[in-house]
Amino acid sequence: MQRIRTSLSFFIIVFFILMLAAIPLALNTTSGKLMIDFHVVSRLINTYISGIGTGDTFIYQEGIDRSPNFLQTVGRHFSLSFVYLLVAGLAAVIIGMIVASWYSRSKKEWSKDIIGFLGLIPDFIFILFLQLGVVWVYQSTGFHIARVASRGADEHALLLPLITLIIVPTIYLIRTLSEATAYVLTEDYILTAKAKGFSVFYIFMQHAVRNILPYLKADLHKVIAIMMSNLFIVEYLFNISGLTSLLFTKDGYQYNLTVNTLLTMVIMYVLLYWSIRLFIVILERIFSYE
Amino acid sequence: MNNFRLLLGISLSSFIVLVAIFGPLFAPYDKDEVEPSGYYYNSADDFGVYAAPYPPSRQHPFGTDEWGYDILTLLLYGAKYTVFAGLVIAFFRVVLGSTLGVMAGLNRKNQRKDKGIGFGLLGSIPAFIIIYFALIGISINSSLKMSELIVLQVLLMIIVGFPGVYAAMQAKTIELNKRLFITASASLGASKLQIAVKHIFPHLKGTMLVMFLKEIVLSLSLLGQLGIFNLFLGGTILRLGGPPVYISVSREWTGLIGQWRAFIFDYQWILMFPMLSFLFVVFSFYMLLRGVELQQKSNLTKQPYI
């Protein structure tokens, strides 16, 4: 049953992507009215599917006279995005759990104010303020903290994109995990452990952490969805030539390229999900003491 | 005064709504007034040119943009689009999401525990990408009117946003549905509609208000993400011939941020003031949100033992 549902939803997402990518070409407003041309949609999907066998589907246009094969170039873009996401995801889980266990016991409303407010600030505001801040420090002191954006093939901006990619999911995790932690701490086994005279740190390590991990697992989809949406903005504003940069080429809209890129995004999502799940499994082994 | 947040939130938010309604009346300049560039010559030693962008000054409190338009004026004219788009989108997301969510919740006994990876796959395509693809072909140099584009974009943003509210409301309804007073009233013969009106909605009122405030900020940040990719609420004017220039038709605030996002190296005030104004809106609604949350916080929650 589970397997049927998974494969069904996989087909749905593929179909959804095929439709979604066709919208920009199928919608037109030439007569001052909004119209959808379904012939265009079916023609695009047909050429895409029939081109898979011949390989035409994977050829796209770059600049004026280059037509690289998607299957050959995608690896570079994919690995760049994936490394950013994986580093940020693992850091967010670790920082989130540590901060949440401290934060869940804090009764200060102002710290909740700050975390909550940071959680509501959109990612692009973060990025623009970071960039403005770095430029401001440089212009007033001459000290160059970090690159404001990637330039060319080997001058990668690392610090600021990673900060943004880490901060946004971390704040989300702090909020949800601290609620979970506060709930776990009301359980009777915590009271028993406290009555036996164990230290707070010991109770956390032995009892709290392993009972918080299920909440983390349940929230993982949400966290990764936040990070994927974040990735688009980060790669665009920091000029990182990751996977999403293929969607916003300056060479006009290409249906096949867009579909291929979006499908690769889904693959990246799954890979990222299972990598972080693997990390949680390791944590579970460490904290199970069996 | 225990709940100063609520007070602060109410006063700041009503100030913002007032600015949105009456802003243009207080604008120091007309919407299309341009501070001219020129030159001056006082003596052989004292001459030069002056040209936009002008930094903040007595005449232009927020400075002018690169063409000489007064930034404060643009913000005052654009405020209504930002504020009312946020309010309208959030309102319909919550109304639509909670009505359908409660209905679905009443018809289901238990939540599905493990949703599996299949359900999560949709998360790999962010909401703003869906709207991006829908609008990229029609929003730039559009033949549609500004009002039509605004209605279209608001509708799209309601559609991509309400499933989140729906899921949360459904989960809450399923939990409430297990409570004894609901069982009692159902066994006394109350219909689903009666249970929804008499028992479920009164319990969810507070959650709906909190969600409404949260959705305002979420829809504003979605607007802003689209703005970063040059899709502004009400349409985009694209000027080619030279480096492409994207201009927001409506002067909506997140559109202005997107339009001027390149001003991080020089003339930073052009980017700074729209961002600070936007942050002020987020802060005001956030304070209101916190105030409402604290007001509702019940004393019945269990206290952690350590």
Side-chain angles (χ1 to χ4, degrees):
Chain A
M1 186 59 197
Q2 179 72 41
R3 188 161 300 160
I4 296 171
R5 216 161 50 209
T6 306
S7 44
L8 187 69
S9 54
F10 191 74
F11 277 114
I12 290 176
I13 191 98
V14 170
F15 180 70
F16 179 70
I17 287 173
L18 286 170
M19 295 292 283
L20 182 67
I23 290 178
L25 298 172
L27 273 185
N28 66 70
T29 54
T30 36
S31 52
K33 268 196 226 136
L34 194 62
M35 300 218 285
I36 301 180
D37 193 344
F38 287 102
H39 294 292
V40 177
V41 180
S42 60
R43 204 191 63 229
L44 284 171
I45 295 180
N46 266 333
T47 25
Y48 181 85
I49 293 173
S50 58
I52 294 177
T54 58
D56 289 345
T57 300
F58 302 107
I59 305 294
Y60 67 99
Q61 201 193 344
E62 192 183 67
I64 301 166
D65 52 1
R66 282 192 306 274
S67 45
N69 190 329
F70 182 78
L71 297 176
Q72 283 162 5
T73 53
V74 71
R76 186 164 46 88
H77 296 286
F78 181 88
S79 48
L80 189 60
S81 293
F82 189 70
V83 167
Y84 273 107
L85 280 180
L86 189 63
V87 171
L90 295 181
V93 168
I94 296 169
I95 300 173
M97 287 198 56
I98 293 173
V99 177
S101 50
W102 161 77
Y103 175 73
S104 66
R105 298 174 63 218
S106 126
K107 296 199 174 52
K108 300 187 185 74
E109 286 296 339
W110 60 263
S111 73
K112 288 182 186 160
D113 281 342
I114 293 173
I115 295 277
F117 185 56
L118 287 179
L120 276 185
I121 297 180
D123 41 11
F124 64 93
I125 297 282
F126 259 123
I127 296 174
L128 291 174
F129 269 122
L130 280 177
Q131 290 179 327
L132 279 171
V134 166
V135 170
W136 180 77
V137 168
Y138 179 72
Q139 285 177 347
S140 50
T141 67
F143 181 64
H144 192 184
I145 302 173
R147 289 203 183 92
V148 170
S150 290
R151 201 176 63 184
D154 37 42
E155 285 192 32
H156 290 299
L158 284 175
L159 187 64
L160 299 191
L162 276 178
I163 289 178
T164 329
L165 277 174
I166 291 173
I167 278 184
V168 177
T170 303
I171 289 171
Y172 176 79
L173 277 176
I174 290 175
R175 287 225 313 257
T176 54
L177 288 184
S178 69
E179 268 172 40
T181 313
Y183 177 72
V184 165
L185 293 184
T186 63
E187 298 278 0
D188 288 340
Y189 52 80
I190 301 284
L191 187 60
T192 313
K194 192 188 173 192
K196 285 183 175 176
F198 294 133
S199 72
V200 169
F201 181 77
Y202 183 81
I203 298 177
F204 253 101
M205 283 300 156
Q206 291 286 333
H207 298 287
V209 172
R210 59 186 292 193
N211 286 301
I212 296 166
L213 287 174
Y215 290 94
L216 177 62
K217 250 195 300 195
D219 250 356
L220 204 51
H221 277 303
K222 189 80 194 291
V223 174
I224 296 179
I226 291 174
M227 292 183 68
M228 294 297 275
S229 149
N230 207 350
L231 183 76
F232 282 86
I233 309 285
V234 167
E235 290 195 348
Y236 190 71
L237 285 181
F238 288 116
N239 195 29
I240 297 168
S241 64
L243 200 52
T244 66
S245 67
L246 290 172
L247 285 179
F248 309 109
T249 50
K250 296 201 165 53
D251 315 317
Y253 186 80
Q254 299 174 56
Y255 178 76
N256 289 351
L257 175 64
T258 308
V259 172
N260 290 334
T261 311
L262 288 176
L263 288 176
T264 320
M265 306 269 334
V266 176
I267 296 170
M268 187 161 78
Y269 180 93
V270 175
L271 265 181
L272 189 67
Y273 179 79
W274 286 112
S275 312
I276 298 183
R277 267 303 273 272
L278 188 70
F279 179 67
I280 296 176
V281 168
I282 295 172
L283 284 183
E284 278 174 339
R285 291 302 287 265
I286 293 175
F287 288 103
S288 70
Y289 307 106
E290 278 159 7
Chain B
M1 181 62 216
N2 208 3
N3 205 342
F4 71 94
R5 295 176 182 83
L6 188 62
L7 219 62
L8 187 68
I10 290 176
S11 38
L12 290 182
S13 310
S14 22
F15 172 69
I16 284 171
V17 173
L18 286 180
V19 165
I21 299 172
F22 299 111
L25 297 178
F26 297 100
Y29 296 89
D30 277 343
K31 193 162 78 168
D32 43 10
E33 192 165 314
V34 179
E35 184 71 35
S37 302
Y39 61 88
Y40 60 95
Y41 185 89
N42 296 333
S43 66
D45 303 321
D46 185 18
F47 63 91
V49 294
Y50 50 90
Y54 298 102
S57 61
R58 194 180 294 272
Q59 291 86 32
H60 300 283
F62 287 5
T64 75
D65 70 357
E66 73 260 54
W67 301 292
Y69 293 105
D70 182 58
I71 288 179
L72 178 62
T73 307
L74 296 185
L75 286 175
L76 285 172
Y77 272 94
K80 54 178 173 290
Y81 300 103
T82 312
V83 174
F84 289 115
L87 290 175
V88 168
I89 294 167
F91 179 78
F92 281 103
R93 277 182 182 183
V94 170
V95 167
L96 211 62
S98 22
T99 316
L100 295 177
V102 168
M103 268 161 50
L106 282 176
N107 287 318
R108 176 176 275 184
K109 277 277 157 286
N110 276 306
Q111 291 175 50
R112 280 226 302 268
K113 276 282 174 289
D114 184 28
K115 295 193 175 92
I117 187 130
F119 179 80
L121 277 179
L122 275 172
S124 54
I125 311 289
F128 85 92
I129 281 299
I130 297 173
I131 301 183
Y132 175 85
F133 279 119
L135 289 180
I136 187 72
I138 50 179
S139 188
I140 294 176
N141 287 344
S142 182
S143 55
L144 297 176
K145 286 201 282 289
M146 181 175 95
S147 52
E148 290 170 337
L149 280 170
I150 290 179
V151 170
L152 183 69
Q153 188 171 344
V154 165
L155 277 179
L156 282 170
M157 288 177 67
I158 293 170
I159 292 170
V160 299
F162 92 87
V165 182
Y166 168 84
M169 284 299 174
Q170 191 195 24
K172 281 209 186 299
T173 309
I174 291 174
E175 283 312 307
L176 274 177
N177 212 1
K178 290 176 187 157
R179 302 273 279 272
L180 279 176
F181 59 88
I182 306 249
T183 318
S185 113
S187 56
L188 284 171
S191 68
K192 286 211 165 104
L193 182 70
Q194 272 171 318
I195 291 179
V197 174
K198 292 274 180 198
H199 297 295
I200 307 277
F201 272 113
H203 264 86
L204 292 181
K205 252 187 340 207
T207 321
M208 281 167 72
L209 181 59
V210 169
M211 237 172 214
F212 170 67
L213 295 170
K214 218 174 257 179
E215 290 293 328
I216 294 176
V217 180
L218 288 183
S219 38
L220 288 183
S221 88
L222 184 55
L223 267 185
Q225 288 178 326
L226 290 165
I228 293 294
F229 290 96
N230 302 319
L231 292 175
F232 309 133
L233 182 70
T236 304
I237 303 171
L238 171 61
R239 295 265 154 78
L240 289 166
V245 177
Y246 295 90
I247 304 165
S248 159
V249 178
S250 63
R251 309 297 188 183
E252 186 271 319
W253 290 8
T254 59
L256 291 180
I257 295 174
Q259 166 182 339
W260 289 328
R261 66 168 188 278
F263 284 100
I264 52 171
F265 301 107
D266 285 302
Y267 318 121
Q268 282 97 338
W269 69 85
I270 299 180
L271 176 60
M272 208 63 176
F273 284 108
M275 286 221 304
L276 289 177
S277 322
F278 179 72
L279 219 50
F280 177 68
V281 173
V282 174
F283 178 76
S284 315
F285 284 116
Y286 174 68
M287 272 296 124
L288 190 56
L289 173 71
R290 284 287 290 159
V292 171
E293 262 178 355
L294 285 179
Q295 191 81 3
Q296 290 173 357
K297 200 171 174 185
S298 123
N299 297 324
L300 295 171
T301 45
K302 276 170 92 180
Q303 289 295 315
Y305 291 127
I306 55 171

